[in-house]
Amino acid sequence: MHTLIESVSGIRGIFGAGLDAGVLVRYALAFGTWCRRRTGEANCTVVVGRDARVSGEICAQIVTATLRSVGINVVDAGLACTPTVAMGVLMERAQGGIILSASHNPEQWNALKLLNSRSEFLAPDEVLELQRLARNMEPPSHADIPIGSLRVRNFTDPHIEAICRLDFVDIKAIAERDFSVAVDGINSVGAIALPRLLKRLGVRSVHVINGDVSGRFAHPAEPLPEHLEGTMAFVRQVEADLGLVVDPDADRLALIDDNGCYVSEELTQVIAADFLWQRRTGPFVTNLSSSRAIDDLAARYGEKVHRSAVGEINVVKAMQAHEAVLGGEGNGGVILPDLHYGRDALVGAAIVLQQLADRGEPLSQYRQSLPAYVISKNKLTVDTPDEVLSAFADRHAARNISTVDGVKVNFDVGWVHIRKSNTEPIIRIYAEARTRASADDLARWAIVDIRQENP
């Protein structure tokens, strides 16, 4: 099966079966052209980095060579987290960035994740413009184009230093807690960056599992509890105070507490907001599929929460519109404008450590003070997702629904959100309630409803 998905989350597919050399060349040419047109600069620089997927090196070589062949200067970030490449774009004042990473997709997948000169993912209208360019793109035929330069720069340490310079990071306070922290690097770039960050923050005892940066993922890459039984056992085995789990490009952060119990990735952004709202005032932005826990927390502080469509750039645009002090997504993404407008597991980890250091209590105890919800996350393959969503909206139009992104049905006891995935050829069905049984019941109701109409 050949699969290529073009969305605000990038251009992704199975390497060699949808995402092939031709696609990489076509989109690299289009992106270089797009950067020049958008910035109006003839001398363009693009930062290129990748996660540790086996196909990553050759994909990066193809993209880099293509960009250089049309006069784009490339800064090679090498193995780097997605947020690190984003920081690199800002540090270099580059006209764009490309990350070769399919995030949480299986290891045979890869993707072009594209950043503009502000280090933000391309907005929907920008994606459409790029797609039009890519469809009609042909290599320039004239021979007077200079070859773009190639320079190598490691941005990981500068990224870490930028985090340590944030006004709320107190390295001495973190060090005094003498934390023991376990890291699941999922055999990718998080295994490089997170231990280095922790040591810089004064954590003396760092235990790494799945730290071989081979791109051969030891478990399914999405940091969900059903994938992390071994990691939770590891946290208990080494008696860590905290477990940090990332996806292959380290823009998502899930937590494991000191008892070796999974802390919902939905709570990563909630903990970050709880920390920051003690220091600043201002709204928070998250997406429609994120937990109501953030709304409950906002009520404690008298703050507002705004919702956007799913997709990091949709959250970012809403953050900018509402002048939010913080944002995120319930998949473990934390977006701190002080650093850059993108999800960043490294800054999320620093915030969590600082919060635990300031509170002087273990994560297992602290989580009891946070709003408690359960989300049931499900997938369904359908032949005509747009028709399915439209029909579902029509059937339930009398209910309290939102059609900003797919269909979200709000109930007093919880909600169900059904939408096309930006990253897989499926529809996602998320449901939330106070208990696992109630959340599963809501999800089951939606799935049965869809299947009755699409047997």
Side-chain angles (χ1 to χ4, degrees), residues 45-49 64 67-68 72-78 85 88 92 94 96 98 149-155:
T45 297
V46 171
V47 178
V48 177
T64 296
L67 290 171
R68 294 183 64 207
I72 302 293
N73 300 318
V74 175
V75 180
D76 180 5
V85 177
E92 288 285 336
I98 298 177
S149 64
L150 176 63
R151 180 161 48 90
V152 175
R153 182 177 177 185
N154 189 321
F155 295 100

Side-chain angles (χ1 to χ4, degrees), residues 330-342:
N331 59 12
V334 174
I335 304 173
L336 180 70
D338 293 26
L339 203 60
H340 64 102
Y341 272 110

Side-chain angles (χ1 to χ4, degrees), residues 338-355:
D338 293 26
L339 203 60
H340 64 102
Y341 272 110
R343 295 183 313 208
D344 192 326
L346 275 66
V347 79
I351 289 173
V352 170
L353 281 168
Q354 192 68 61
Q355 177 75 327

